[in-house]
Amino acid sequence: MAQQRLGIIMNGVTGRMGMNQHLIRSIVAIRAQGGVALKNGDRVMPDPILVGRNAAKVEQLAKAHGITRWTTDLNAALRNKDDTLFFDAATTKLRAKLLRRAIAAGKDIYCEKPVAENLKDAVAVAQAAKKAGIRHGVVQDKLFLPGLLKLKTLIDAGFFGRILAVRGEFGYWVFEGDWQPAQRPSWNYRKKDGGGIILDMLCHWRYVLDNLFGEVKSVSCLGVTHIPKRWDENDKPYKADVDDAAYATFQLAGGAIAHINSSWCTRVRRDDLVTFHVDGTHGSAVAGLQKCWSQALVNTPRPVWNPDVPQPINFFATWSEVPDSANYDNGFKAEWEMFIRHLYEGAPFKWTLIEGAKGVQLAEAGLRSWKERRWIDIPPLKV
Ligand SMILES: NC(=O)c1ccc[n+]([C@@H]2O[C@H](COP(=O)([O-])OP(=O)(O)OC[C@H]3O[C@@H](n4cnc5c(N)ncnc54)[C@H](O)[C@@H]3O)[C@@H](O)[C@H]2O)c1
């Protein structure tokens, strides 16, 4: 049994996602468990070098997590032949350019979504990766959430019969930043910085819908800026000039209809911050991040419309929770491990830059639908 070293250049790890999900919950956790086990008994140990603009911040982050290598010099990091994988979780705006630089330096790529701000750049990055013959992967974390894994089990078991419709509710109140700090970075609300909920969330909805319910064939999307003024990290007011909510309907291959509301301007009264309600001829289910509840046709209550009496049925009590059937790991970590196995033993890995580009394709189509006030078809993506 041998240990192999994977040198990873990790960019954008002082940010929210980079630090919490990718560094701490994924790479540091994989190191703590002794690496990723391969089929032949070998283990792959990630050896990251953290890259950031602020030396003090990166050094402190590295030290706090027992990581010895850090730098502010991305070019030098890319020149090091011993670090073969480039990872990026910095702002969306910079991503496509950074990926192109890393591909030109011969690195394999793993990165956050969206892979680019527009489809042209997303396809160009995927083409460059293909030409260079490197391996690549994109974060599609929602697929590895326990709630969605349980939903997938129900689909695979034929629980739903014919799936008719999917209703997704994503969102929560993101504070404006005046009397209490916002929970999201201010660039999310500025067009010039790559912000906007359509670009952010439709990338997720593409892989969720494609992988669980049927390929997205067309979209009708209405975006809106509900809150035009917010306060940034330095308590300064700024103009929020992008969509902070999107109301989108999707037609899927196979005939199911999906409608997903995405909003940073809604107050939660539902099971989780995101829920997917699936209705089929034989049963229905509601999945959140961790849990999933189902109701079969034979267990479906029989409501009768009568506004004159208080509702006699406690609807929430008529659903059964789908039990845990595995030890669910953090979804980001699970995908990192799959990607590492793909690098070292050629294990199948579907979620490439091409899949990432499909997410951008849907986001761009959503923006266009909003602008042109019409349905937009989603053609097969050629790379
Ligand atoms: N998979 C998911 O569920 C998910 C969730 C949220 C965000 N994201 C994606 O992750 C990325 C980061 O989002 P976040 O919420 O962590 O943002 P963030 O603002 O918290 O972090 C951004 C990071 O980029 C760095 N950065 C910003 N400008 C830079 C510049 N000019 N040069 C170099 N570095 C720069 C920052 O220092 C920070 O490390 C985005 O692309 C976003 O779409 C994914």
Side-chain angles (χ1 to χ4, degrees):
M1 190 183 102
Q3 183 167 296
Q4 309 194 41
R5 169 191 174 276
L6 171 60
I8 312 175
I9 302 160
M10 294 190 80
N11 188 55
V13 279
T14 57
R16 216 165 53 100
M17 294 312 290
M19 185 192 312
N20 297 322
Q21 298 303 333
H22 294 288
L23 183 63
I24 301 175
R25 300 279 277 130
S26 297
I27 296 302
V28 171
I30 290 172
R31 283 165 61 81
Q33 75 186 20
V36 174
L38 302 181
K39 278 202 191 107
N40 67 2
D42 288 0
R43 296 190 81 88
V44 180
M45 182 61 86
D47 178 13
I49 175 166
L50 309 190
V51 185
R53 292 167 299 170
N54 181 328
K57 228 171 154 180
V58 201
E59 181 180 14
Q60 193 199 16
L61 181 64
K63 280 198 174 136
H65 297 287
I67 288 161
T68 52
R69 302 191 304 144
W70 60 271
T71 183
T72 55
D73 187 346
L74 177 60
N75 281 328
L78 288 173
R79 279 195 300 272
N80 184 352
K81 294 270 175 281
D82 293 332
D83 291 328
T84 52
L85 177 63
F86 175 74
F87 168 74
D88 182 52
T91 52
T92 303
K93 181 103 195 146
L94 303 170
R95 180 148 307 119
K97 253 193 197 151
L98 282 174
L99 298 184
R100 295 289 290 269
R101 267 168 76 187
I103 292 167
K107 306 299 176 194
D108 293 324
I109 298 288
Y110 189 60
C111 68
E112 262 295 351
K113 46 53 66 180
V115 292
E117 275 190 295
N118 58 62
L119 181 59
K120 190 168 151 269
D121 289 349
V123 169
V125 171
Q127 280 169 340
K130 192 174 171 189
K131 201 165 160 214
I134 57 128
R135 275 89 48 91
H136 41 98
V138 177
V139 174
Q140 313 230 302
D141 52 290
K142 308 288 176 275
L143 290 177
F144 309 100
L145 287 166
L148 272 74
L149 289 171
K150 290 171 188 172
L151 204 51
K152 173 94 169 68
T153 307
L154 294 180
I155 295 168
D156 293 345
F159 171 79
F160 293 106
R162 182 165 55 87
I163 292 181
L164 309 172
V166 180
R167 272 177 294 128
E169 279 290 341
F170 164 85
Y172 48 93
W173 190 263
V174 177
F175 286 93
E176 293 91 325
D178 47 354
W179 67 280
Q180 62 166 297
Q183 310 93 301
R184 300 185 64 91
S186 59
W187 67 262
N188 282 185
Y189 303 92
R190 287 189 295 262
K191 197 179 181 68
K192 71 174 173 58
D193 295 329
I197 202 165
I198 294 177
L199 179 59
D200 190 356
M201 295 316 296
L202 263 63
C203 293
H204 288 294
W205 306 150
R206 178 73 196 258
Y207 66 75
V208 168
L209 295 172
D210 274 10
N211 283 277
L212 291 179
F213 306 110
E215 274 212 6
V216 179
K217 292 297 179 196
S218 60
V219 58
S220 161
C221 178
L222 176 68
V224 60
T225 307
H226 284 307
I227 310 270
K229 183 178 178 186
R230 291 181 177 269
W231 281 257
D232 69 12
E233 290 75 4
N234 301 312
D235 299 327
K236 273 187 142 164
Y238 66 95
K239 185 170 183 258
D241 61 355
V242 284
D243 39 296
D244 53 17
Y247 307 91
T249 309
F250 309 91
Q251 288 180 306
L252 309 183
I257 307 298
H259 181 87
I260 305 181
N261 294 321
S262 311
S263 176
W264 290 320
C265 316
T266 182
R267 297 183 177 87
V268 178
R269 188 186 155 97
R270 56 187 127 87
D271 291 305
D272 215 327
L273 299 191
V274 65
T275 53
F276 293 94
H277 181 128
V278 185
D279 287 315
T281 50
H282 288 51
S284 295
V286 177
L289 299 175
Q290 299 272 335
K291 292 176 184 260
C292 181
W293 298 266
S294 66
Q295 183 174 98
L297 174 62
V298 291
N299 304 111
T300 304
R302 189 182 171 79
V304 177
W305 185 269
N306 183 353
D308 299 326
V309 297
Q311 179 52 248
I313 302 173
N314 176 0
F315 287 109
F316 283 94
T318 63
W319 295 73
S320 313
E321 190 178 339
V322 179
D324 290 352
S325 55
N327 278 330
Y328 301 101
D329 209 342
N330 174 286
F332 291 86
K333 175 169 174 265
E335 197 184 347
W336 263 104
E337 292 187 346
M338 288 168 80
F339 185 66
I340 291 173
R341 286 195 196 98
H342 169 63
L343 291 180
Y344 283 81
E345 57 187 18
F349 190 83
K350 182 178 173 191
W351 302 288
T352 60
L353 284 168
I354 298 159
E355 294 299 301
K358 287 186 188 173
V360 179
Q361 180 190 31
L362 186 62
E364 197 169 282
L367 287 164
R368 209 170 127 208
S369 163
W370 172 23
K371 195 172 161 209
E372 297 176 12
R373 300 174 66 83
R374 66 179 181 92
W375 280 90
I376 303 288
D377 288 336
I378 310 293
L381 189 63
K382 289 197 193 79
V383 171

